[in-house]
Amino acid sequence: MAPTATESNVTADGRQENRISNYTKFWQNDMSKEKDVDTSNRLSSYTDVVNGYYDAATLLYEYAWAGSFHFSRFYKGESFAASLARHEHYLAAQMQLKPGMRVLDVGCGVGGPAREIARFADVNIVGLNNNDYQITRANKHTK
């Protein structure tokens, strides 16, 4: 039988405590003991698995990649932040965004690219994401 997520307390930073601990219940401690039922359990509880992962990993992602959870090429001498912004500006240009347009960012994460593209292209971006903790982080960074 699949592990079940339990109701959890929300931490001061907005994560749900039990989501993180429940995440590890979907894997065997010894991967050599993984069975088809383990995979089936993960698939049948995919929302719990995904939310547990993102509640646990988001701060690490922000530490490593700031607010933009993507990669970009660096030019010689270019900073990490400048390479991300350049890539996001390129995306805005490729989408042919015009000032005042309304844009939907599906899978917005913590909203880093959306904020940069909104500043660069003078557009309004609505973020949509499947993890409420990342939405909370996006709202915090956007204010």
Coordinates of all heavy atoms in Angstrom, one line a residue, residues 54-112:
Y54 N 9.8 19.5 -3.9 CA 10.0 21.0 -4.1 C 10.0 21.7 -2.8 O 10.7 22.7 -2.7 CB 9.0 21.6 -5.1 CG 9.4 21.2 -6.5 CD1 8.6 20.4 -7.3 CD2 10.5 21.8 -7.1 CE1 9.0 20.1 -8.6 CE2 10.9 21.4 -8.4 CZ 10.2 20.6 -9.1 OH 10.6 20.3 -10.4
D55 N 9.2 21.3 -1.8 CA 9.3 21.9 -0.5 C 10.7 21.8 0.1 O 11.2 22.7 0.7 CB 8.3 21.3 0.5 CG 6.9 21.9 0.3 OD1 6.6 22.6 -0.7 OD2 6.1 21.7 1.2
A56 N 11.3 20.6 -0.2 CA 12.7 20.4 0.3 C 13.8 21.0 -0.5 O 14.8 21.5 0.0 CB 12.9 18.9 0.4
A57 N 13.6 21.1 -1.8 CA 14.7 21.5 -2.7 C 14.7 22.9 -3.1 O 15.8 23.5 -3.5 CB 14.6 20.6 -4.0
T58 N 13.6 23.6 -2.9 CA 13.5 25.0 -3.4 C 14.6 25.9 -2.9 O 15.2 26.7 -3.6 CB 12.1 25.6 -3.2 OG1 11.2 24.8 -4.0 CG2 12.0 27.0 -3.5
L59 N 14.9 25.9 -1.6 CA 15.9 26.8 -1.0 C 17.3 26.5 -1.5 O 18.1 27.4 -1.8 CB 15.9 26.7 0.5 CG 14.7 27.4 1.2 CD1 14.8 27.2 2.7 CD2 14.6 28.9 0.9
L60 N 17.6 25.2 -1.7 CA 18.8 24.8 -2.4 C 18.9 25.4 -3.8 O 19.9 25.9 -4.2 CB 19.0 23.3 -2.4 CG 20.2 22.8 -3.1 CD1 21.5 23.3 -2.4 CD2 20.2 21.3 -3.2
Y61 N 17.8 25.3 -4.5 CA 17.8 25.8 -5.9 C 18.0 27.3 -5.9 O 18.8 27.8 -6.7 CB 16.5 25.5 -6.6 CG 16.3 24.1 -7.1 CD1 17.2 23.1 -6.8 CD2 15.1 23.8 -7.8 CE1 17.0 21.8 -7.3 CE2 14.9 22.5 -8.2 CZ 15.9 21.5 -8.0 OH 15.7 20.2 -8.4
E62 N 17.4 28.0 -5.0 CA 17.5 29.5 -4.9 C 19.0 29.8 -4.5 O 19.5 30.8 -5.0 CB 16.6 30.1 -3.9 CG 15.2 30.1 -4.4 CD 14.2 30.8 -3.5 OE1 13.7 30.2 -2.6 OE2 14.1 32.1 -3.7
Y63 N 19.6 29.1 -3.6 CA 21.0 29.3 -3.3 C 21.9 29.1 -4.5 O 22.8 29.9 -4.7 CB 21.4 28.4 -2.1 CG 22.8 28.5 -1.7 CD1 23.2 29.6 -0.9 CD2 23.8 27.6 -2.1 CE1 24.6 29.7 -0.6 CE2 25.1 27.7 -1.8 CZ 25.5 28.8 -1.0 OH 26.8 28.9 -0.7
A64 N 21.7 28.1 -5.2 CA 22.5 27.8 -6.4 C 22.2 28.6 -7.6 O 23.2 29.0 -8.3 CB 22.4 26.3 -6.7
W65 N 21.0 28.8 -7.9 CA 20.6 29.5 -9.2 C 19.8 30.8 -9.0 O 19.2 31.3 -9.9 CB 19.7 28.6 -10.0 CG 20.5 27.4 -10.6 CD1 21.4 27.4 -11.6 CD2 20.4 26.0 -10.2 NE1 21.9 26.2 -11.8 CE2 21.3 25.3 -10.9 CE3 19.6 25.4 -9.2 CZ2 21.5 23.9 -10.8 CZ3 19.8 24.0 -9.1 CH2 20.7 23.3 -9.8
A66 N 19.8 31.3 -7.8 CA 19.0 32.5 -7.5 C 17.5 32.2 -7.8 O 17.1 31.2 -7.4 CB 19.6 33.7 -8.2
G67 N 16.9 33.1 -8.4 CA 15.4 32.9 -8.7 C 15.2 32.3 -10.1 O 14.0 32.1 -10.4
S68 N 16.2 31.9 -10.8 CA 16.0 31.4 -12.2 C 16.5 30.0 -12.2 O 17.7 29.7 -12.3 CB 16.8 32.3 -13.2 OG 16.3 33.6 -13.2
F69 N 15.6 29.0 -12.2 CA 16.0 27.6 -12.2 C 16.2 27.1 -13.6 O 15.5 26.2 -14.0 CB 14.9 26.8 -11.5 CG 14.6 27.2 -10.0 CD1 13.5 26.7 -9.4 CD2 15.4 28.1 -9.3 CE1 13.2 27.1 -8.1 CE2 15.2 28.4 -8.0 CZ 14.0 27.9 -7.4
H70 N 17.1 27.7 -14.3 CA 17.5 27.3 -15.6 C 18.9 27.6 -15.8 O 19.6 28.3 -15.1 CB 16.6 27.9 -16.7 CG 16.8 29.4 -16.8 ND1 17.8 30.0 -17.5 CD2 16.0 30.4 -16.3 CE1 17.7 31.3 -17.5 NE2 16.7 31.6 -16.7
F71 N 19.4 27.1 -16.9 CA 20.8 27.3 -17.3 C 20.9 28.2 -18.5 O 20.0 28.4 -19.2 CB 21.5 26.0 -17.6 CG 21.6 25.0 -16.5 CD1 20.6 24.0 -16.3 CD2 22.5 25.2 -15.5 CE1 20.6 23.2 -15.3 CE2 22.6 24.3 -14.4 CZ 21.6 23.3 -14.3
S72 N 22.1 28.8 -18.7 CA 22.3 29.6 -19.9 C 23.8 29.6 -20.2 O 24.6 29.3 -19.3 CB 21.9 31.1 -19.6 OG 22.5 31.6 -18.5
R73 N 24.2 29.9 -21.4 CA 25.6 29.9 -21.8 C 26.2 31.2 -21.2 O 25.6 32.2 -21.1 CB 25.7 29.9 -23.3 CG 25.3 28.6 -23.9 CD 25.5 28.7 -25.4 NE 25.2 27.4 -25.9 CZ 25.1 27.1 -27.2 NH1 25.2 28.1 -28.1 NH2 24.8 25.9 -27.6
F74 N 27.5 31.1 -20.8 CA 28.2 32.2 -20.4 C 29.1 32.7 -21.5 O 29.7 31.9 -22.2 CB 29.2 31.8 -19.2 CG 28.5 31.6 -17.9 CD1 27.8 30.4 -17.7 CD2 28.6 32.5 -16.9 CE1 27.2 30.2 -16.5 CE2 28.1 32.2 -15.7 CZ 27.3 31.1 -15.5
Y75 N 29.2 34.0 -21.6 CA 30.3 34.5 -22.5 C 31.5 34.8 -21.6 O 31.4 35.0 -20.4 CB 29.9 35.8 -23.1 CG 28.8 35.7 -24.2 CD1 27.6 36.4 -24.1 CD2 29.0 34.8 -25.3 CE1 26.7 36.2 -25.1 CE2 28.0 34.6 -26.3 CZ 26.9 35.4 -26.2 OH 25.9 35.2 -27.1
K76 N 32.7 34.8 -22.2 CA 33.9 35.0 -21.4 C 33.8 36.3 -20.7 O 33.5 37.3 -21.2 CB 35.1 35.0 -22.4 CG 36.4 35.0 -21.6 CD 37.6 34.9 -22.6 CE 38.9 34.8 -21.8 NZ 40.0 34.5 -22.6
G77 N 34.0 36.2 -19.4 CA 34.0 37.4 -18.5 C 32.6 37.8 -18.0 O 32.4 38.7 -17.3
E78 N 31.6 37.1 -18.5 CA 30.2 37.4 -18.1 C 29.8 36.8 -16.8 O 30.2 35.6 -16.5 CB 29.2 36.9 -19.2 CG 27.8 37.2 -19.0 CD 26.9 36.7 -20.1 OE1 27.1 35.6 -20.6 OE2 26.0 37.5 -20.6
S79 N 29.1 37.5 -16.0 CA 28.7 37.0 -14.7 C 27.5 36.0 -14.8 O 26.8 36.0 -15.9 CB 28.3 38.1 -13.7 OG 27.0 38.7 -14.1
F80 N 27.3 35.2 -13.8 CA 26.2 34.3 -13.8 C 24.9 35.0 -14.0 O 24.1 34.7 -14.8 CB 26.2 33.5 -12.5 CG 25.1 32.5 -12.4 CD1 24.9 31.4 -13.2 CD2 24.1 32.7 -11.4 CE1 23.9 30.6 -13.1 CE2 23.1 31.8 -11.2 CZ 23.0 30.8 -12.1
A81 N 24.7 36.1 -13.2 CA 23.4 36.8 -13.2 C 23.2 37.5 -14.6 O 22.1 37.5 -15.1 CB 23.4 37.9 -12.1
A82 N 24.3 38.0 -15.2 CA 24.2 38.6 -16.5 C 23.8 37.6 -17.6 O 23.1 37.9 -18.5 CB 25.5 39.3 -16.9
S83 N 24.4 36.4 -17.5 CA 24.1 35.4 -18.5 C 22.6 34.9 -18.4 O 22.0 34.7 -19.4 CB 25.0 34.2 -18.3 OG 24.7 33.4 -17.2
L84 N 22.1 34.8 -17.1 CA 20.7 34.5 -17.0 C 19.8 35.6 -17.5 O 18.8 35.3 -18.3 CB 20.4 34.3 -15.5 CG 20.9 33.0 -14.8 CD1 20.6 33.1 -13.3 CD2 20.5 31.8 -15.5
A85 N 20.1 36.8 -17.2 CA 19.3 37.9 -17.7 C 19.3 38.0 -19.2 O 18.3 38.2 -19.9 CB 19.8 39.3 -17.1
R86 N 20.5 37.8 -19.8 CA 20.6 37.9 -21.3 C 19.8 36.8 -21.9 O 19.1 37.0 -22.9 CB 22.1 37.7 -21.7 CG 22.3 37.7 -23.2 CD 23.8 37.5 -23.6 NE 24.5 36.5 -22.8 CZ 24.3 35.1 -22.9 NH1 23.5 34.7 -23.8 NH2 25.0 34.3 -22.2
H87 N 19.8 35.6 -21.3 CA 19.0 34.5 -21.8 C 17.5 34.8 -21.7 O 16.7 34.5 -22.7 CB 19.3 33.2 -21.1 CG 18.6 32.0 -21.6 ND1 18.9 31.4 -22.8 CD2 17.6 31.3 -21.1 CE1 18.1 30.4 -23.0 NE2 17.3 30.3 -22.0
E88 N 17.1 35.4 -20.6 CA 15.7 35.7 -20.4 C 15.3 36.8 -21.4 O 14.1 36.8 -21.9 CB 15.4 36.1 -18.9 CG 15.6 34.8 -18.1 CD 15.9 35.1 -16.6 OE1 16.0 36.2 -16.2 OE2 16.0 34.1 -15.9
H89 N 16.1 37.8 -21.6 CA 15.9 38.8 -22.6 C 15.7 38.3 -24.0 O 14.8 38.7 -24.8 CB 17.0 39.9 -22.6 CG 17.1 40.6 -21.3 ND1 18.1 41.5 -21.1 CD2 16.4 40.5 -20.1 CE1 18.0 42.0 -19.8 NE2 17.0 41.4 -19.2
Y90 N 16.5 37.3 -24.3 CA 16.4 36.6 -25.6 C 15.1 35.9 -25.7 O 14.4 36.0 -26.8 CB 17.6 35.6 -25.7 CG 17.4 34.6 -26.9 CD1 17.7 35.0 -28.2 CD2 17.0 33.3 -26.7 CE1 17.6 34.2 -29.3 CE2 16.8 32.5 -27.8 CZ 17.1 32.9 -29.1 OH 17.0 32.1 -30.1
L91 N 14.6 35.2 -24.7 CA 13.3 34.6 -24.7 C 12.2 35.6 -24.9 O 11.3 35.4 -25.7 CB 13.1 33.8 -23.4 CG 14.0 32.6 -23.2 CD1 13.7 32.0 -21.8 CD2 13.8 31.6 -24.2
A92 N 12.3 36.7 -24.2 CA 11.3 37.8 -24.4 C 11.3 38.3 -25.9 O 10.2 38.4 -26.4 CB 11.5 38.9 -23.5
A93 N 12.4 38.4 -26.4 CA 12.5 38.9 -27.8 C 11.9 37.8 -28.8 O 11.2 38.1 -29.7 CB 14.0 39.2 -28.2
Q94 N 12.3 36.6 -28.5 CA 11.8 35.5 -29.4 C 10.2 35.4 -29.3 O 9.6 35.0 -30.3 CB 12.4 34.1 -29.0 CG 13.9 34.0 -29.4 CD 14.1 34.1 -30.9 OE1 14.6 35.1 -31.3 NE2 13.6 33.1 -31.6
M95 N 9.7 35.7 -28.1 CA 8.2 35.6 -28.0 C 7.5 36.9 -28.6 O 6.3 37.0 -28.6 CB 7.8 35.5 -26.5 CG 8.2 34.1 -26.0 SD 7.6 33.9 -24.3 CE 8.8 34.8 -23.3
Q96 N 8.4 37.9 -29.0 CA 7.9 39.1 -29.6 C 6.9 39.8 -28.6 O 5.8 40.3 -29.0 CB 7.2 38.9 -30.9 CG 8.2 38.3 -31.9 CD 7.6 38.0 -33.3 OE1 6.4 38.3 -33.6 NE2 8.3 37.4 -34.2
L97 N 7.3 39.9 -27.4 CA 6.5 40.5 -26.3 C 6.5 42.0 -26.6 O 7.5 42.6 -26.9 CB 7.0 40.2 -25.0 CG 7.0 38.8 -24.6 CD1 7.6 38.6 -23.2 CD2 5.6 38.2 -24.6
K98 N 5.3 42.6 -26.4 CA 5.2 44.1 -26.5 C 4.7 44.6 -25.2 O 4.0 44.0 -24.4 CB 4.1 44.4 -27.6 CG 4.4 43.7 -28.9 CD 5.5 44.4 -29.7 CE 5.6 43.8 -31.1 NZ 6.8 43.1 -31.2
P99 N 5.1 45.9 -24.9 CA 4.7 46.5 -23.6 C 3.2 46.4 -23.4 O 2.4 46.6 -24.3 CB 5.1 48.0 -23.7 CG 6.2 47.9 -24.7 CD 5.9 46.8 -25.7
G100 N 2.8 46.0 -22.1 CA 1.4 45.9 -21.7 C 0.8 44.6 -22.0 O -0.3 44.3 -21.5
M101 N 1.5 43.7 -22.7 CA 0.9 42.3 -22.9 C 0.8 41.6 -21.6 O 1.5 41.9 -20.7 CB 1.8 41.5 -23.9 CG 1.8 42.0 -25.3 SD 2.9 41.0 -26.3 CE 1.8 39.7 -26.8
R102 N -0.1 40.7 -21.6 CA -0.3 39.8 -20.4 C 0.2 38.4 -20.8 O -0.2 37.9 -21.9 CB -1.7 39.7 -20.0 CG -1.9 39.0 -18.7 CD -3.3 39.3 -18.1 NE -3.4 38.8 -16.8 CZ -4.5 38.7 -16.1 NH1 -5.6 39.0 -16.6 NH2 -4.4 38.2 -14.9
V103 N 1.1 37.8 -20.0 CA 1.8 36.6 -20.3 C 1.6 35.6 -19.2 O 1.6 35.9 -18.0 CB 3.3 36.9 -20.5 CG1 4.1 35.6 -20.8 CG2 3.6 37.9 -21.5
L104 N 1.3 34.3 -19.6 CA 1.2 33.2 -18.6 C 2.5 32.5 -18.5 O 3.0 32.0 -19.6 CB 0.0 32.3 -19.0 CG -0.2 31.1 -18.1 CD1 -0.6 31.6 -16.7 CD2 -1.3 30.2 -18.7
D105 N 3.0 32.3 -17.3 CA 4.2 31.5 -17.1 C 3.8 30.2 -16.4 O 3.5 30.3 -15.2 CB 5.2 32.3 -16.3 CG 6.5 31.5 -16.0 OD1 6.6 30.4 -16.4 OD2 7.4 32.1 -15.4
V106 N 3.7 29.2 -17.1 CA 3.3 27.9 -16.6 C 4.5 27.2 -16.0 O 5.5 26.9 -16.8 CB 2.6 27.0 -17.6 CG1 2.2 25.7 -17.1 CG2 1.3 27.7 -18.2
G107 N 4.5 26.9 -14.7 CA 5.6 26.3 -14.1 C 6.6 27.4 -13.7 O 7.8 27.2 -13.9
C108 N 6.1 28.4 -13.1 CA 6.9 29.6 -12.8 C 7.9 29.5 -11.7 O 8.8 30.3 -11.6 CB 6.0 30.8 -12.5 SG 5.1 30.6 -11.0
G109 N 7.9 28.4 -10.9 CA 8.8 28.2 -9.8 C 8.7 29.4 -8.9 O 7.6 29.8 -8.5
V110 N 9.8 30.0 -8.5 CA 9.8 31.2 -7.7 C 9.8 32.5 -8.4 O 10.0 33.6 -7.9 CB 11.0 31.1 -6.7 CG1 10.9 29.9 -5.8 CG2 12.4 31.2 -7.4
G111 N 9.6 32.4 -9.8 CA 9.3 33.6 -10.6 C 10.5 34.4 -11.0 O 10.3 35.5 -11.5
G112 N 11.7 34.0 -10.9 CA 12.9 34.7 -11.3 C 12.8 35.2 -12.8 O 12.9 36.4 -13.1

